Amino acid sequence: MIHIWHCFLFALLAIRAGTSAQQMPCDLRETSHGSVCVCNSTYCDYLEQPEITDSNQIVVISSSKDGLRFQKTTGDFASQKPLVVEDKQSTDENFKAEAIVVDQSRAWLQLANIPQRLFINASVRTIRVVVNREKRFQKVSNFGGAFTGTVSYLLKQLRQELQDHVYKSYFHQDGIAYNTVRMSIGGSDFDLEPWAYNEWPRNDLQLSNFTQLDSRDLQKIEQLKRLKVVAELDELKIMGAAWSAPPWMKTNDRWTGFGQLKTEYYQTWALYHLKFLELMQAKNMPIWAISTGNEPLNGVIGFFFVHFMSMGWTPWQQAIWLSDNLGPTIRRSSTQSKVLIFGNDDQRYTYPSWFRKMRSSRNNSLSYLDGLAVHWYWDELVGPQLIDQAHLEMPEKLLLNTESCIGDKPWQTHGPELGSWQRGESYMRAYTQDMRHHFNGWLDWNLVLDERGGPNYVNNFVDAPVIVNATSRREIYKQPIFYAIGHFSKFLPAESVRIEARIENESNPFTQLSVVGFQRPDGSVAVIVYNGQNLPVDVALNDSQRGVIGLRLPPRSWHTVLYK
Ligand SMILES: *[C@@H]1O[C@H](CO)[C@@H](O)[C@H](O)[C@H]1NC(C)=O
Ligand SMILES: *[C@@H]1O[C@H](CO)[C@@H](O)[C@H](O)[C@H]1NC(C)=O
Ligand SMILES: *[C@@H]1O[C@H](CO)[C@@H](O)[C@H](O)[C@H]1NC(C)=O
Ligand SMILES: *[C@@H]1O[C@H](CO)[C@@H](O)[C@H](O)[C@H]1NC(C)=O
Ligand SMILES: *[C@@H]1O[C@H](CO)[C@@H](O)[C@H](O)[C@H]1NC(C)=O
Ligand SMILES: *[C@@H]1O[C@H](CO)[C@@H](O)[C@H](O)[C@H]1NC(C)=O
Ligand SMILES: *[C@@H]1O[C@H](CO)[C@@H](O)[C@H](O)[C@H]1NC(C)=O
């Protein structure tokens, strides 16, 4: 037992970096797959934006499988010693989770409820990270999530105080500082039934019955107004996307299946978008951007698997509609001409060929696009090179990931895995990869779902960063996914610029370590470091202007390192 005590002693003697007292810490609860942070109407965890008060200060914000959530540790450039991020188990001996206990050269594995420690003869690796502020890439613009019909419905069930904690947790500076929501124009798969404007009368070219928004929109608008107040947001960017036209405009006269827009309604469908924009503006909730339609391939090739509202487009057809109808209708509008238009809004594997096909059909069609929208779902099977190619061909266009969630695949749990660190790690790897491949931001899918991962009218159950207890309606659970996203969104305000940050001699594709770096508008640097190993890692971060920062990071953890 001697060596174990020795190692605890080491942990205690390690430089005790100061931890913040002002923060409202996570109320950590063990769950089926790990642990979540619990909020109720009177308590929720928040972290004030860390201020770097003097130029020698280093602030590290950390989350770990073992239970850290936005833990703040501070250090100093002047110190010769490495900054040690202490994991939960080293400070809380009652926390029963598997953990690895380490001294300088050896590691022990501690399994939950087993008193013996297994000896691993592993040494802690040192990873050298190069941060070069002189090499600059894209700007950050948006982080956010989707305000679907399901989200609106679930929030409505909660007491106002608990709703407010959802808004504050996501959009306030003390939360994870989102600035954008995505919402459907009409219904989406996360609604309680499929719906569109002007379902009646049919064959109505001028949309005579689309004179006001739906009651579901009005509820969302009330909630978004509250959100802006609670989150102290001056500007909330809203991105709209339509899932399907009313059935009468479609070749199959249905919400789903193999069906496209009838050509005689091309202009009607453009007008439909314009009317939505005008009605939202009239409610003082202007739309920042729209896309050319959610997942256009669902109604062309995806209909075997997709049983929710969708409308098919081939790239050739969509280029004609964009170029002849939607583009001119928006750009010539007296009030909506500045609304941005994003193309594709579908999976990565359609890049870049979708746009090449559009161009071959209407050579000016791409000029109507301000941005490119990508969904995450098949990224683990399709590499980012396709995005690189699209960016190379259209470097001036914004690039956003506009949808992501876990639990849609046949081999995944269809619904939340409460507390799953692994799912958080999937997000961490994905956000890191996209930000290293030209993306300006990321909009996640449902802000909240219930314990089953719904509800919605097609029983399509998936996970979300925040799960509502829809049974008691008294608690919400912040998943590891929430913190994975937050390590980006909270610390990267719009106008932050990605800078070079890489692991020196990164050659091993199986390395479970990644970094991505940014310079923020105030000049400070934010480097996001992910350790996916079951062992701690030492990081020697060498900044081109400041020199070396030494860090000891716990197993299965991620960190945002901030300094000037
Ligand atoms: C809310 O959570 C806090 C922190 O766990 C707890 O002290 C408080 O009793 C809870 N309030 C209610 C109404 O359950
Ligand atoms: C453990 O590592 C040391 C070197 O650090 C080596 O000498 C020793 O043989 C190793 N023991 C085992 C059991 O692998
Ligand atoms: C207009 O739409 C409403 C539903 O939004 C419907 O009740 C009404 O019958 C429609 N009017 C006509 C003339 O079809
Ligand atoms: C674009 O297409 C039109 C006809 O569709 C043609 O007149 C024009 O020359 C083309 N422009 C370019 C740059 O290829
Ligand atoms: C939701 O709350 C009820 C009542 O307090 C509780 O029994 C249930 O375990 C909670 N659900 C989850 C997922 O924690
Ligand atoms: C990295 O690679 C360079 C050249 O391949 C080599 O000179 C250097 O020693 C390597 N550094 C480390 C830390 O392995
Ligand atoms: C840090 O990087 C600089 C180049 O930016 C290099 O000159 C210096 O030797 C590096 N320091 C260490 C300790 O690796």
Side-chain angles (χ1 to χ4, degrees), residues 5 8 28-30 35 66-67 87-99 110-114 117:
W5 286 112
F8 273 120
L28 198 68
R29 181 183 296 170
E30 280 185 62
S35 39
D66 204 18
D87 217 346
K88 187 84 179 167
Q89 58 81 26
S90 63
T91 51
D92 176 2
E93 291 181 36
N94 294 324
F95 191 77
K96 290 199 274 342
E98 70 186 72
Q110 167 79 67
L111 295 172
N113 305 324
I114 299 177
R117 290 184 165 88

Side-chain angles (χ1 to χ4, degrees), residues 166-220:
V166 174
Y167 301 144
K168 189 174 173 190
S169 292
Y170 271 118
F171 293 88
H172 195 276
Q173 288 298 317
D174 294 351
I176 62 170
Y178 272 5
N179 59 8
T180 305
V181 292
R182 180 167 177 250
M183 70 184 276
S184 54
I185 302 175
S188 78
D189 47 327
F190 277 77
D191 258 290
L192 302 186
E193 58 180 5
W195 65 278
Y197 308 103
N198 214 115
E199 288 177 44
W200 302 95
R202 294 169 59 87
N203 310 330
D204 180 8
L205 269 179
Q206 295 308 317
L207 300 172
S208 61
N209 201 16
F210 187 4
T211 52
Q212 52 189 23
L213 293 167
D214 187 86
S215 60
R216 283 161 282 209
D217 295 320
L218 301 180
Q219 179 172 306
K220 284 182 197 169

